[in-house]
Amino acid sequence: VIGAGPGGYECASVLAKEGKNVCIIEKNEMQLGGTCLNEGCVPAKQYLETASYLAKSSYAQSCGIDVKEPHLDISLLKKKKDELTQQLRSGIQTKLKKVQIIFGDASFKDENTLLVANEEILFDHCVIATGSIHRPHPTLEVDGNLILSSKEIFELQTLPHKILIVGGGAIGCEFATFFNTAGVEVVLAEFTPTLVPNEDKDVAQTLERELKKKGIRVHVNTNVTNHIKNQNSIAITLQTPKEELQEEFDFVLVSIGRMPNTCTLNLNNAKIQTQKDFILTNKHLQTSNPHIYAIGDVIKTPALAHMAYNEALTVANNLTKETLHVSAVNVPFVTFCQPQVASVGKNEKTLTQEGREFIVKKHFYKSSAKAKIKGDDSGFIKLLVDKNSDEILGGSMVGNEVTELIHQILIAINAKLTCKDLAKMVFAHPTLSESLWEMLN
């Protein structure tokens, strides 16, 4: 297995439990757990969870709690993040106790041989799980000083006064929430017409409105046309639909997505076909070389850790069982900004393109007692329902804890439940979950 991120270590662990002789290769010990653990989803959620405590301070004060000038010490937060990643990294090492771990850069010598630090490793089967790398901006090259990627953000010892975030996808919106909550002036620029471009338009518009309410300056359909680096700041020219803006920032965070980490693997030597650096696979996750598999961000499936986990189990099954499996179809997408955003199943655009007749059902959290108790009743739940069968085809959520609540809709879709089925169930009160029941009755 090449790569010890979520997909790689999960696949290696399961294969070892099945009695296979497994070796996993990672660049170095500090990279165990991959991008997700070390510079991605795990530290980002640690930062966002901490910021959420700060965000609730004014509401807590209104409820009678004496909160005196709360502030964020990012150096202490970094220390806590480092402790967390080390704990989880140790857990991964324990999980891989039956797996041989080799550190170094791997590449293919031929169809059955890998090279790692000039050492040849022969294999019967191989799983490529090398993940993804930062997608470079056409003009804003990351320098680790004034132009940063998400990796460098987690090394900050002091907070900036003003930051430009380029890219309004999940990563950009999450960091916009974090820095805004910490008291930093935030400008968020997105090249496409909406934030979180993969979500339905009403979801994106609601998120944009709520971020603006918090003081984040959001510009969509906006491009960076020029930049000038100064000693301790960077001057940026933004072209918006209405005007050209010139502003100075302490630094710029570039978060325009990620790309497959496959360029150094010498895939041609193993007769593995690619398309725009993505490895091509069949439905069983085999590459054009049938005894080599690929999972995670290197293939054209959603670049999500939980997707990689599922693909890891699929490959482990297909290497050890007679019945071949395919990966899951319905995968939840979650963004941990404030308010949170989540979706699963088919969206409005997909259903319209398919010519499927569907009904949109929507319910706002304004009527939720629990949302008001928690101090945030923004957002809504939306279900997309087959017009004829009443079957739930997809759903979206914006609001309080929806990254947890979305799994209600995931289960309903996979179980092929109808709205009438859900309406007959009993949901506890007062909960956020009951809003789903309330919208159907």
Side-chain angles (χ1 to χ4, degrees), residues 384-402:
L384 305 179
V385 182
D386 187 278
K387 187 176 180 180
N388 300 311
S389 68
D390 194 43
E391 183 181 331
I392 298 168
L393 306 174
S396 303
M397 294 178 162
V398 185
N400 221 315
E401 301 296 340
V402 299

Side-chain angles (χ1 to χ4, degrees), residues 358-414:
F358 65 96
I359 298 170
V360 177
K361 294 180 179 287
K362 189 179 284 189
H363 181 81
F364 292 88
Y365 283 113
K366 291 290 183 186
S367 64
S368 168
K370 188 58 180 287
K372 292 183 182 298
I373 290 167
K374 291 175 71 67
D376 181 7
D377 61 2
S378 63
F380 60 82
I381 306 172
K382 181 176 72 173
L383 290 182
L384 305 179
V385 182
D386 187 278
K387 187 176 180 180
N388 300 311
S389 68
D390 194 43
E391 183 181 331
I392 298 168
L393 306 174
S396 303
M397 294 178 162
V398 185
N400 221 315
E401 301 296 340
V402 299
T403 55
E404 298 286 346
L405 299 173
I406 193 64
H407 299 93
Q408 295 176 314
I409 303 178
L410 169 65
I411 293 169
I413 293 172
N414 283 347

Side-chain angles (χ1 to χ4, degrees), residues 6 66 331 399:
D66 187 11
V331 180

Side-chain angles (χ1 to χ4, degrees), residues 1-16 21-28 31-34 92-93 95-104 106 114 116 121 126-130 295:
V1 179
I2 311 174
Y9 71 69
E10 185 70 20
C11 189
S13 173
V14 174
L15 287 170
N21 182 15
V22 184
C23 161
I24 192 167
I25 304 167
E26 184 51 81
K27 286 187 176 183
N28 56 66
Q31 287 298 311
L32 282 176
I92 291 170
Q93 288 178 316
K95 191 169 189 172
L96 295 174
K97 61 184 178 181
K98 294 183 179 181
V99 176
Q100 181 186 5
I101 303 175
I102 297 177
F103 295 113
L114 285 169
V116 182
I121 300 175
C126 180
V127 181
I128 302 170
T130 48
I295 61 176

